[in-house]
């Protein structure tokens, strides 16, 4: 009972408007400034309040000028204010994957699958596509987030909208491209006897993507994606070497038991990611 009472008696505080204004004006004692800066690392509402106070103060125009110059030097194609500014910012926040070579790689994979099926007459083209499909979201995540992929990573990771929130936004953008494109492509390919359905890769792909995010909280997104992607390709290599076998990837994606395992793995990885969510509030060191 005493422990429960002591927990309730713990003081909880937030940055008031006057404290934010004094901090922006540089009129807060150093010890109080340290306490405020530590608090806003884990409180998005107070971080936004302090940020608004700084922008409204004397330092606001200087910071705006520095931000504009930095964006212009690091990303000349960044969106500028205008009628389409909101959509342009949304496109920008989607990440480098949707604006770089990853999107070209996805299109090439789709083209190669059609070429194998309709050009070379390979009966296992759908199986080949299903074997490669779960790796593509991993590659998209790897080139969307982290200091190795994003020139603005140090800035975005330090903002209230950075960290896991930004990572999930970019992951959702990657999946929004992969899921309909690869599934539709698989449905249009000839289905040989024993070949899995076009959507059989979805649960494995989701589980591997969540596993990459969870593992990325320990070792970084790029290392996690490379490890899991390489492991998957090694496991399904039988269906990728030489002429693809129509049922080569089926044991990994087909059947209620297999799909149930992938669903359970996805839930477990999502739970671990929720537990590790605070780890993305810090700059990626790998």
């Amino acid at each position: 009972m005493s422990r429960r009472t002591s927990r309730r008696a713990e003081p909880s505080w937030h940055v008031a408007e006057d404290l934010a204004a004094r901090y922006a004006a540089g009129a807060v004692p150093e010890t109080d400034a340290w306490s405020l800066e530590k608090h806003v690392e884990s409180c998005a509402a107070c971080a936004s309040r302090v940020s608004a106070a700084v922008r409204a103060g004397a330092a606001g125009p200087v910071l705006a000028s520095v931000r504009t110059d930095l964006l212009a030097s690091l990303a000349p194609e960044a969106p500028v204010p205008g009628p389409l500014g909101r959509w342009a910012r949304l496109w920008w926040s989607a990440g480098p994957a949707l604006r770089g070579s990853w999107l070209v790689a996805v299109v090439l994979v789709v083209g190669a699958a059609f070429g194998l099926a309709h050009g070379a007459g390979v009966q296992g083209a759908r199986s080949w596509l299903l074997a490669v499909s779960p790796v593509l979201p991993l590659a998209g995540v790897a080139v969307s987030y982290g200091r190795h992929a994003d020139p603005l990573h140090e800035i975005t990771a330090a903002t209230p909208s950075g960290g896991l929130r930004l990572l999930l936004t970019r992951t959702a953008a990657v999946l929004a491209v992969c899921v309909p494109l690869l599934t539709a492509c698989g449905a249009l390919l000839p289905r040989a006897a024993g070949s899995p359905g076009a959507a059989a890769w979805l649960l494995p792909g989701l589980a591997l993507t969540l596993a990459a995010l969870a593992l990325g909280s320990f070792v970084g997104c790029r290392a996690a994606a490379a490890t899991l992607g390489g492991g998957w390709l090694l496991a399904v290599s039988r269906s990728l070497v030489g002429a693809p076998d129509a049922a080569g990837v089926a044991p990994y994606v087909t059947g209620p038991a297999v799909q149930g395992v992938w669903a359970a793995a996805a839930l477990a990885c999502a739970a671990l990611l929720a537990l590790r969510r605070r780890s993305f509030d810090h700059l990626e060191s790998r």
Side-chain angles (χ1 to χ4, degrees):
M1 179 66 69
S2 60
R3 181 179 299 177
R4 183 178 303 175
T5 304
S6 63
R7 281 186 180 178
R8 291 179 179 176
E10 279 185 353
S12 61
W13 66 280
H14 292 282
V15 180
E17 296 288 349
D18 60 332
L19 178 58
R22 287 188 289 114
Y23 176 82
V28 176
E30 187 174 5
T31 54
D32 293 342
W34 286 348
S35 179
L36 182 150
E37 291 167 359
K38 182 63 178 178
H39 175 74
V40 298
E41 289 181 0
S42 57
C43 182
C46 290
S48 299
R49 187 175 299 116
V50 172
S51 179
V54 172
R55 290 197 304 269
V62 177
L63 292 176
S65 176
V66 171
R67 179 179 182 275
T68 301
D69 293 341
L70 183 61
L71 289 175
S73 62
L74 292 180
E77 72 276 16
V80 296
L84 300 178
R86 178 175 298 179
W87 292 105
R89 287 193 297 271
L90 180 61
W91 172 253
W92 180 251
S93 67
L98 301 189
R99 305 187 303 272
S101 58
W102 174 83
L103 191 57
V104 177
V106 175
V107 174
L108 289 177
V109 168
V110 171
F114 275 102
L116 285 173
H118 300 290
V122 175
Q123 294 298 315
R126 176 185 283 191
S127 183
W128 182 88
L129 180 66
L130 291 174
V132 177
S133 292
V135 177
L136 293 176
L138 300 182
V141 172
V143 299
S144 290
Y145 189 84
R147 63 186 181 90
H148 300 287
D150 190 352
L152 299 179
H153 175 62
E154 293 187 359
I155 298 176
T156 55
T159 64
S161 60
L164 181 60
R165 179 180 175 182
L166 179 62
L167 177 57
L168 292 178
T169 298
R170 293 182 172 179
T171 301
V174 167
L175 292 175
V177 172
C178 283
V179 169
L181 186 60
L182 296 176
T183 305
C185 174
L188 294 174
L189 294 177
R191 182 172 184 177
S195 178
W201 74 276
L202 293 180
L203 272 178
L206 177 62
L208 288 174
T209 300
L210 289 172
L213 298 181
L215 182 59
S217 67
F218 295 97
V219 300
C221 290
R222 189 173 69 166
T227 300
L228 292 171
W232 169 261
L233 291 177
L234 183 62
V236 300
S237 59
R238 183 170 63 90
S239 63
L240 297 177
V241 177
D245 180 14
V249 76
Y252 304 96
V253 299
T254 303
V258 174
Q259 290 287 316
V261 170
W262 284 117
L267 290 175
C269 291
L272 178 59
L273 181 61
L275 292 175
R276 292 282 301 169
R277 62 188 182 277
R278 293 298 181 189
S279 64
F280 294 99
D281 294 338
H282 309 287
L283 290 177
E284 193 176 71
S285 59
R286 298 173 181 84

